[in-house]
Amino acid sequence: MARIVMKFGGTSVADIARIRNVARHVKREVDAGHEVAVVVSAMAGKTNELVGWTREASPMHDAREYDAVVASGEQVTAGLLAITLQNMGVHARSWQGWQIPIKTDNAHGAARILDIDGAFLIKRFGEGQVAVIAGFQGIGPDNRISTLGRGGSDTSAVAIAAAVKADRCDIYTDVDGVYTTDPRIEPKARRLAKISFEEMLEMASLGAKVLQVRSVELAMVHRVRTFVRSSFDDPDAPGMGDLLNPPGTLICDEEEIVEQQVVTGIAYAKDEAQISLRRVGDRPGVAAGIFGPLAEANINVDMIVQNISEDGKYTDMTFTVPSGDVDKALAVLERLKASIGYDVVQSEAGMSKVSVIGIGMRSHAGVAATAFKALADRSINIRAITTSEIKISILIDGPYTELAVRTLHSVYGLDKQ
Ligand code: ADP
Ligand code: ASP
Ligand code: MG
């Protein structure tokens, strides 16, 4: 007998027929004698609709009320799946975040899980009950419903798996695993049998939305054996209930990966914007003077490039922010014009960041040069570059995103044979 947490995303529970299919996946594991907890997302499109309504009600709104609205999508799915399971003869009960409780901090709209009462769920296992838990939500110190940021049900599932010391956390989605790049834009992408925690963390934070970044962090810290697999597979096909090697991609320690490639995957993030401050007086403290106030305004600054003028007196400071934050960032910079001391501020939206990821880069030279040449051969202009030990990120004009992803995917030999 094993203890398994199963998570189903929005497209997997998009309508009643799909919820029935999900229930068959759950029943398979229950019938095999395992202890099962299930985490569900809102039905596909529901969260977007709810977010849209909060904006329509008021563009500037109270984050606590945003959470009260958007957390409701998951409540519906949890109830519907519990009903469906009961109808199939499975002893199931739905639970919302506050009932367990899943305690979070007070950052409404992007809360972090602080604590989960694992004993509550273990008691349900003891009663032979399948707990169907609303993902994406918890309860804050203010005793109000909180949500975990978009894609947060992945994080609910991994955190619950850690809290109950589950043998496995299965993230069921609309693709059958983690691919070398988003299979929606590169049909030649290959499914990976395994990917290391570190690489998955980079892939997720650089745009691959198959897992929420925070869920990968938690899986890495708590060593949760996490699989990404398809909910659209026939629940009763051979091998689906394999305990140690279910179909899908395993996120694991790098030591578990035998054949390590230099490059594992390509990720992309659209809707980046570039902001440049021209002729900033170059003196100690100038970066702190710019990026401190931007951080205080909760603006996520990403790539930063600084060019010193020939006489060493001035610097151009260029950086990227999500397109949605440009106006807020420009307002902060305008307010600081006198104290920072710059000539002009320029901004351009519609950029994309494409990234090449692989732990093999640590020991291989020339990976970056290969990317630059491949993009140059396609006449794709590079606007900014950042690198770390295991990734290279390149800022380009948005319309070239797909071409750049496919070009890089092919130049590192990731295309399906
Ligand atoms: P869910 O609703 O199940 O949480 P998401 O839409 O959040 O599903 O994530 C699954 C999607 O992630 C896939 O449909 C795919 O388009 C996208 N994706 C992006 N990058 C990758 C990748 N490298 N491997 C697999 N899927 C990816
Ligand atoms: N329903 C939430 C969202 O769309 C959470 C999730 O699906 O993981 O972001
Ligand atoms: Mg998701």
Side-chain angles (χ1 to χ4, degrees):
M1 186 192 68
R3 186 171 283 174
I4 303 174
V5 174
M6 308 171 77
K7 179 259 170 177
F8 296 91
T11 31
S12 308
V13 293
D15 53 37
I16 301 297
R18 290 202 182 154
I19 291 178
R20 281 204 187 105
N21 195 56
V22 160
R24 288 176 59 209
H25 282 286
V26 175
K27 188 169 188 307
R28 180 192 65 233
E29 305 296 353
V30 172
D31 287 349
H34 303 314
E35 293 177 333
V36 177
V38 186
V39 175
V40 287
S41 291
M43 296 162 93
K46 194 72 214 170
T47 310
N48 285 345
E49 182 181 49
L50 295 167
V51 170
W53 285 344
T54 61
R55 291 197 183 129
E56 203 181 318
S58 167
M60 297 293 285
H61 47 255
D62 185 330
R64 284 161 296 196
E65 301 310 339
Y66 166 93
D67 279 352
V69 176
V70 301
S72 66
E74 273 67 13
Q75 178 177 345
V76 173
T77 326
L80 290 173
L81 180 58
I83 291 173
T84 310
L85 283 166
Q86 288 171 0
N87 189 43
M88 289 166 70
V90 176
H91 177 34
R93 179 66 61 206
S94 71
W95 300 99
Q96 292 182 61
W98 63 268
Q99 291 174 300
I100 294 182
I102 296 174
K103 291 190 184 157
T104 72
D105 65 13
N106 220 3
H108 283 280
R112 283 168 81 93
I113 295 177
L114 300 177
D115 182 55
I116 296 180
D117 184 2
F120 176 94
L121 292 168
I122 290 167
K123 187 154 174 268
R124 307 298 138 190
F125 293 142
E127 294 163 357
Q129 187 199 98
V130 173
V132 183
I133 303 155
F136 181 53
Q137 51 164 268
I139 182 162
D142 54 358
N143 205 29
R144 299 197 60 91
I145 292 176
S146 53
T147 65
L148 310 179
R150 297 307 304 270
S153 297
D154 299 328
T155 302
S156 309
V158 175
I160 287 166
V164 301
K165 301 199 166 36
D167 297 284
R168 230 173 60 205
C169 180
D170 289 356
I171 306 285
Y172 286 83
T173 182
D174 56 6
V175 277
D176 61 355
V178 178
Y179 278 68
T180 46
T181 193
D182 188 347
R184 275 186 218 218
I185 74 163
E186 175 49 285
K188 289 189 207 139
R190 274 184 298 115
R191 189 175 63 78
L192 298 160
K194 294 178 179 177
I195 182 169
S196 69
F197 289 118
E198 288 83 354
E199 288 167 319
M200 192 64 236
L201 200 56
E202 292 286 7
M203 291 276 278
S205 55
L206 295 168
K209 69 165 188 164
V210 60
L211 288 175
Q212 200 198 31
V213 182
R214 182 77 185 129
S215 72
V216 187
E217 277 171 16
L218 286 178
M220 183 155 110
V221 171
H222 298 284
R223 288 291 181 263
V224 177
R225 224 174 152 70
T226 304
F227 284 87
V228 175
R229 54 188 297 188
S230 169
S231 71
F232 296 144
D233 288 345
D234 174 3
D236 301 312
M240 289 298 284
D242 192 317
L243 192 56
L244 294 178
N245 283 307
T249 300
L250 172 65
I251 326 291
C252 61
D253 271 324
E254 116 181 40
E255 287 71 35
E256 272 194 65
I257 300 172
V258 194
E259 269 183 79
Q260 189 64 61
Q261 308 294 318
V262 177
V263 169
T264 302
I266 314 290
Y268 67 92
K270 288 185 175 174
D271 294 324
E272 302 275 314
Q274 181 175 312
I275 297 180
S276 299
L277 294 174
R278 303 286 176 209
R279 279 174 69 88
V280 183
D282 192 29
R283 55 190 153 70
V286 67
I290 295 170
F291 298 114
L294 289 171
E296 275 159 33
N298 264 324
I299 295 164
N300 225 332
V301 173
D302 184 23
M303 307 169 110
I304 302 176
V305 183
Q306 195 183 349
N307 297 315
I308 313 288
S309 63
E310 225 169 276
D311 60 9
K313 287 190 187 142
Y314 296 98
T315 177
D316 279 353
M317 194 70 93
T318 299
F319 55 92
T320 62
V321 299
S323 285
D325 280 349
V326 175
D327 291 344
K328 212 161 59 158
L330 292 178
V332 170
L333 296 169
E334 197 52 50
R335 181 162 54 75
L336 294 172
K337 184 158 199 235
S339 64
I340 303 172
Y342 58 83
D343 251 17
V344 280
V345 52
Q346 294 164 325
S347 70
E348 214 177 325
M351 312 271 138
S352 286
K353 182 173 64 175
V354 290
S355 305
V356 178
I357 296 133
I359 42 181
M361 275 185 218
R362 286 190 197 128
S363 48
H364 276 79
V367 180
T370 303
F372 304 150
K373 173 151 195 322
L375 295 179
D377 289 346
R378 297 280 182 160
S379 305
I380 301 174
N381 188 33
I382 297 175
R383 289 178 168 259
I385 302 161
T386 54
T387 64
S388 80
E389 229 190 354
I390 65 164
K391 72 117 206 273
I392 304 152
S393 291
I394 301 168
L395 190 71
I396 59 168
D397 291 338
Y400 293 99
T401 316
E402 278 80 8
L403 179 63
V405 168
R406 290 194 200 113
T407 301
L408 294 173
H409 194 265
S410 138
V411 78
Y412 293 111
L414 297 174
D415 285 356
K416 194 156 36 192
Q417 297 305 317

